[in-house]
Amino acid sequence: MSVQFSGWEVVDDGASFPGVELEPSQKPQKRGVYTMYHGTSVASAKAIISKGFKQSSGGMLGKGVYVSRDKKKAAHYPLRSQISDRVVLELRVRPGRVKRIDQDNHPLQHTWHANGYDTAWVPPKCGLRSVPSGLEEDCVFDPKRVEVVGIANAPNPTIKQDLQQLLSNSKKTGKGKGKSAADVCSLCKRKTQQDSPHIKQQCWECGKNICILMTKHFCATKP
């Protein structure tokens, strides 16, 4: 007896799940939400948690929020500061459209945002003289694309506990948050990002409404 069916089953690459941790050499996907890190001082960490990130006035990649998926790189900031004043914040980052900057004097090194990109990405070990460590780095132009979700490292347990409490209070009041998941798709049951609704359409075989991010769909048995 033969069995006929229509449908599909796929393996998701992780881009639609918030908090995916990429390998250093993996390029972020446009609609992905990724775990990254930001190193800062204790005082600045409190300000960021309470009020959110602000654009830096400049830097190797111009204005933006500088982050890295490499916790070791974040742990070296602020540069020339005491270890007792360094905090690493765990983040959820929506990089959007990403431009790879992998050479010195890249033509878009400081103008990537003016050319339609949301994030500049320096891959690891690409040879940039301004990144002697060779560790991966990103610059996100819009601070609303970056949200603090945890304290990855702090000088001591007391400071870490204080920052975690501040973060908990901030989440309750809605302060210090960038744009984050705001709804759940009724079809695939995954969280959607603001300004990025899931695309829905009818199955070409059975006519049932489907979401293109569903990992599995099988058409109903026909008589």
Side-chain angles (χ1 to χ4, degrees):
M1 181 180 69
S2 62
V3 178
Q4 294 183 343
F5 71 92
S6 297
W8 75 85
E9 184 172 3
V10 300
V11 177
D12 196 288
D13 66 0
S16 58
F17 290 99
V20 169
E21 292 197 20
L22 296 174
E23 294 296 322
S25 59
Q26 283 184 281
K27 182 177 180 178
Q29 300 300 308
K30 184 175 181 180
R31 291 195 175 187
V33 183
Y34 301 104
T35 295
M36 296 190 189
Y37 303 93
H38 177 81
T40 189
S41 66
V42 174
S44 293
K46 292 179 179 178
I48 291 169
I49 293 171
S50 298
K51 301 178 181 179
F53 278 98
K54 294 182 179 180
Q55 272 189 339
S56 65
S57 58
M60 177 186 67
L61 299 169
K63 294 182 179 180
V65 178
Y66 284 77
V67 300
S68 177
R69 69 189 68 162
D70 195 318
K71 194 187 302 184
K72 290 185 295 183
K73 182 176 180 68
H76 286 92
Y77 288 83
L79 296 175
R80 296 178 293 278
S81 65
Q82 297 293 322
I83 296 178
S84 58
D85 192 34
R86 289 180 181 175
V87 173
V88 177
L89 300 175
E90 181 179 344
L91 315 170
R92 290 289 181 272
V93 179
R94 296 185 305 111
R97 191 175 180 215
V98 177
K99 179 60 182 176
R100 179 186 176 113
I101 305 295
D102 56 3
Q103 64 185 53
D104 288 309
N105 302 314
H106 190 287
L108 297 185
Q109 185 166 340
H110 295 98
T111 59
W112 45 272
H113 183 258
N115 284 271
Y117 294 94
D118 302 300
T119 297
W121 171 51
V122 176
K125 301 179 181 178
C126 63
L128 261 72
R129 289 192 296 270
S130 52
V131 189
S133 68
L135 299 176
E136 183 270 350
E137 186 169 346
D138 307 78
C139 180
V140 184
F141 187 82
D142 186 354
K144 291 182 179 179
R145 290 183 170 274
V146 184
E147 178 186 356
V148 180
V149 296
I151 312 302
N153 192 30
N156 59 63
T158 300
I159 292 177
K160 186 171 186 177
Q161 184 176 3
D162 289 345
L163 292 173
Q164 288 174 331
Q165 184 60 53
L166 182 62
L167 179 59
S168 178
N169 294 339
S170 178
K171 288 182 177 180
K172 290 178 182 178
T173 59
K175 296 180 180 179
K177 295 181 68 174
K179 282 187 178 180
S180 58
D183 202 358
V184 175
C185 175
S186 61
L187 296 177
C188 72
K189 308 303 180 184
R190 295 181 181 177
K191 291 181 179 181
T192 62
Q193 299 299 312
Q194 293 181 13
D195 303 323
S196 298
H198 291 185
I199 298 174
K200 301 175 184 178
Q201 60 189 38
Q202 286 188 320
C203 173
W204 56 87
E205 179 68 22
C206 67
K208 185 177 179 180
N209 287 330
I210 58 175
C211 170
I212 64 170
L213 292 180
M214 293 169 61
T215 58
K216 184 184 298 186
H217 168 69
F218 295 105
C219 299
T221 303
K222 295 183 178 181

